[in-house]
Amino acid sequence: MIRVLLVDDQQLIRAGLRMLLDAEEGMEVVGEAGDGRAAVTLTAQLVPDVVVMDLRMPGVDGITATSRIMAERPSTRVLVLTTFGDDDHLYPALQAGACGFLLKDAPPAELLNGIRQAAAGESPFSQEVLRRLVRRAVEARPEAPPRLDGLTAREREVLDLVAEGLTNGEIADRLHIGVTTVKTHITALMAKTNSPNRVRLALAAQRA
């Protein structure tokens, strides 16, 4: 069971998210917070696996709250869910310790999958956000591209789709293979390209 804390200053949005998550097997909403200060307090009290965090809130905002949560409970996964996908919100949130960044116009299935990914230690990003991260990293780091000589044909296919920003489930559907198989390929790709996480793996694909 994935324990989730919802943080958003709009009660209607929290209610909608709670209905979505309560209807999903394997997820439990353990609490709600309307601002960053309450989010930090409830995280300490309820010990959720994943905090779904809005960014713009009165008082203590989501970025500050994320930083405080990471300082107190670094094992907690903070997944940003926001309307604002611009760089002024994206990079400060990641620097504060957020593990992923989704936009509020994402389909419900993307949010549910993102929560599962976050709980499993992965870094879920909306496709638009991941593309921008990769593009900016490529522009900032023009070093020689990594060699991909040791990849199998299937690994190259998976790598291409990671670079496009697809989730594990979407890659599995596109290639007609199981999600577990996709995870196995991604683990191998990270090892072969010396990439510590999914964003770096996508960056390696773009640079190559």
Side-chain angles (χ1 to χ4, degrees):
M1 185 68 69
I2 301 174
R3 295 165 51 83
V4 182
L5 174 65
L6 301 175
V7 185
D8 197 292
D9 63 327
Q10 298 185 44
Q11 186 174 356
L12 186 61
I13 290 180
R14 296 201 309 271
L17 291 174
R18 176 180 280 274
M19 289 180 60
L20 176 66
L21 270 62
D22 283 346
E24 188 70 11
E25 185 177 354
M27 293 187 188
E28 176 187 11
V29 177
V30 296
E32 299 179 21
D35 58 63
R37 187 183 304 278
V40 176
T41 300
L42 288 177
T43 298
Q45 293 175 352
L46 302 174
V47 195
D49 300 305
V50 179
V51 178
V52 177
M53 180 75 73
D54 189 21
L55 292 183
R56 284 194 177 181
M57 295 180 290
V60 177
D61 63 24
I63 292 173
T64 303
T66 298
S67 180
R68 292 179 182 176
I69 289 171
M70 289 294 96
E72 296 179 9
R73 295 195 58 82
S75 62
T76 302
R77 307 287 286 173
V78 177
L79 174 60
V80 169
L81 181 66
T82 181
T83 305
F84 307 97
D86 56 273
D87 290 355
D88 290 342
H89 293 86
L90 171 60
Y91 291 99
L94 297 180
Q95 290 170 352
C99 72
F101 199 103
L102 299 180
L103 301 179
K104 285 184 177 178
D105 62 359
E110 184 175 331
L111 172 60
L112 294 172
N113 190 48
I115 292 173
R116 293 191 188 93
Q117 286 182 297
E122 299 180 28
S123 298
F125 289 92
S126 293
Q127 291 187 22
E128 172 190 337
V129 171
L130 182 57
R131 290 191 188 103
R132 195 162 70 252
L133 280 171
V134 170
R135 184 171 60 249
R136 180 161 173 171
V138 168
E139 293 170 352
R141 302 181 61 183
E143 67 260 29
R147 295 181 61 85
L148 303 181
D149 297 342
L151 303 189
T152 66
R154 179 64 84 186
E155 287 172 344
R156 285 177 177 273
E157 290 178 324
V158 172
L159 185 60
D160 286 341
L161 297 178
V162 169
E164 289 183 23
L166 271 64
T167 65
N168 288 352
E170 290 169 336
I171 293 172
D173 290 342
R174 182 77 66 85
L175 299 180
H176 306 293
I177 57 178
V179 174
T180 301
T181 302
V182 173
K183 290 180 179 179
T184 300
H185 285 312
I186 289 177
T187 299
L189 285 166
M190 286 181 176
K192 291 181 178 181
T193 61
N194 196 29
S195 302
N197 54 51
R198 196 182 191 91
V199 173
R200 290 300 183 111
L201 182 60
L203 172 59
Q206 292 286 349
R207 284 170 45 217

